[in-house]
Amino acid sequence: MSEKKHLKRYIKSLRVRYGLEKPEKLAFTEDISMTGLSIRTHEVVKPGSVIATEVYLTDDTKIQLQGCVTWAKKLPPAMVGETKKAGMGIKIVEFLSDGESVWKKYLESCADLQKAGECSAAVSQDMHDTLNMPTG
């Protein structure tokens, strides 16, 4: 557990596509870390499901990965922007192609921006612990 406390989560709103078979649904991240991400959406997938995910770092750069849904909170579409923890938490299971190195570099740039005061770190430890749960 102590190693989990050292993993940084960053509040970032990145465009993301996800789905059971292929990434079809559009949403945005709420926060990201090396091991997972939180997706703000009203179209949640059942916890335990493995989903295909594309995270768009820029218009030209996307990372493809497989993720396991660790928690989901379904709300009506109008309520998603009004409450915390609306959507689902994803634990990264596998990066596709060179996604892991690109993701790591992106997170390092978030750390640099945070040091400069241009990016904030997420502080909710309970969500962080959920995103880093072992897959069993």
Side-chain angles (χ1 to χ4, degrees):
M1 172 101 129
S2 62
E3 64 196 45
K4 291 179 190 176
K5 291 181 182 179
H6 298 294
L7 293 173
K8 295 271 185 167
R9 287 184 19 245
Y10 301 97
I11 298 170
K12 294 297 276 183
S13 181
L14 301 171
R15 186 169 51 110
V16 62
R17 289 195 176 278
Y18 67 95
L20 290 171
E21 306 260 335
K22 59 182 179 176
E24 300 175 308
K25 296 177 180 159
L26 178 63
F28 290 89
T29 62
E30 189 168 89
D31 62 60
I32 61 174
S33 75
M34 190 60 205
T35 59
L37 53 141
S38 174
I39 299 175
R40 185 168 281 279
T41 181
H42 69 279
E43 296 183 85
V44 299
V45 178
K46 180 181 173 184
S49 301
V50 175
I51 61 172
T53 308
E54 295 176 345
V55 181
Y56 294 82
L57 304 180
T58 66
D59 287 339
D60 299 331
T61 305
K62 73 177 174 183
I63 294 175
Q64 296 176 309
L65 58 93
Q66 295 289 317
C68 181
V69 179
T70 58
W71 62 267
K73 184 174 182 182
K74 186 172 183 162
L75 293 173
M79 295 286 296
V80 170
E82 302 297 320
T83 186
K84 290 185 175 186
K85 291 189 183 181
M88 56 190 172
I90 309 299
K91 178 173 176 54
I92 298 170
V93 175
E94 176 185 14
F95 288 95
L96 305 178
S97 90
D98 65 344
E100 186 169 9
S101 62
V102 174
W103 186 247
K104 185 176 181 178
K105 285 179 187 176
Y106 185 78
L107 288 171
E108 288 170 356
S109 74
C110 287
D112 292 341
L113 289 173
Q114 182 185 4
K115 287 177 189 173
E118 298 173 27
C119 178
S120 57
V123 293
S124 172
Q125 187 64 41
D126 59 336
M127 186 184 290
H128 174 65
D129 289 343
T130 301
L131 285 171
N132 290 297
M133 288 175 25
T135 56

